[in-house]
Amino acid sequence: MHFPFALYRVEGHSMEPTLRPNQRLLVKRGSKARPGDLIVFKKNAKTCVKRITEQRGDQFMVCGDHPESTDSRHYGGVHGEQILGRVLCGL
Amino acid sequence: MNFLRHLLEKLPARPAHAHCDVPCGVYEPDSMTWAAETCFKLTEKLEGLELPEAGNKHDVLDFHNIVARAVAVKEEYAQICKAQVLILWTDYFKPEHLDRWPDLHDKVWKITKQCSTVKRTVSVAEAKKLQEMVAELADIFRETKK
């Protein structure tokens, strides 16, 4: 059985000013995600954290809060099954 | 609450990458593919529209509304397609790829031109051509990953 919460640590600057590098995140696993939510997801074997900007069919478009971010504009959408969880809060 | 926060700060945490705009190797051909497909579907929808009966205000308004929306989205997605192709071209493809596909620059130039053609026209043939050109570039991208 999976514990419903997980802890992650932010690496990188693309979510500034909302999230700082090395900031810890409390993530609710498997919760429903909507545009505006911060999510942790797997993309190309990497675990990433971004904000959902919109939903297109079964894909979520994600974007960093910082203008200099590598996100859906570069690597496309994120499928629902790639989402590991929704960020509840930064610690 | 402070105790809980203190505890959570001590527990191990996995890294979650928040990439900056640096070469991170995270690229894919799906975005340009679905953008080209969207253009094709909308063009097909536009070409398939029946003209409304003259004098029926409601039908005429509906017709213009559908046309305006479909054209606006076609325009938007042709631009997305162009942007996605250019991202692969400027950020992903490297000189060694040009050695293998010497006409890569020409292909990209023609695809981005075709995006403009799809914006300018309402032609299933032109939209299909864009899809085929994008599919060819996507194949090249996938070949580079082998």
Side-chain angles (χ1 to χ4, degrees), chain A residues 43 59 75-77 79, chain B residues 28-35 88 138 142:
Chain A
K43 186 78 183 178
Q59 288 197 65
Y75 52 67
H79 289 278
Chain B
E28 49 72 45
D30 298 343
S31 301
M32 63 180 183
T33 304
W34 59 249
L88 291 185
R142 283 187 277 267

Side-chain angles (χ1 to χ4, degrees), chain A residues 3-85:
Chain A
F3 193 65
F5 300 99
L7 281 173
Y8 287 90
R9 179 175 40 78
V10 180
E11 282 192 1
H13 295 264
S14 79
M15 287 306 292
E16 285 184 319
T18 314
L19 304 176
R20 304 177 310 276
N22 287 320
Q23 186 173 6
R24 283 167 166 254
L25 307 174
L26 182 61
V27 171
K28 171 91 168 66
R29 283 188 170 131
S31 58
K32 197 167 179 171
R34 299 185 188 86
D37 286 344
L38 301 181
I39 54 163
V40 174
F41 59 94
K42 278 269 185 198
K43 186 78 183 178
N44 298 348
K46 285 186 181 175
T47 304
C48 306
V49 58
K50 297 282 171 184
R51 187 182 297 281
I52 297 177
T53 52
E54 64 177 299
Q55 187 171 0
R56 290 180 190 160
D58 65 340
Q59 288 197 65
F60 294 90
M61 296 295 128
V62 295
C63 198
D65 283 0
H66 195 278
E68 288 190 358
S69 162
T70 304
D71 43 48
S72 282
R73 293 167 294 179
H74 306 79
Y75 52 67
V78 175
H79 289 278
E81 67 268 23
Q82 292 174 306
I83 297 176
L84 300 173

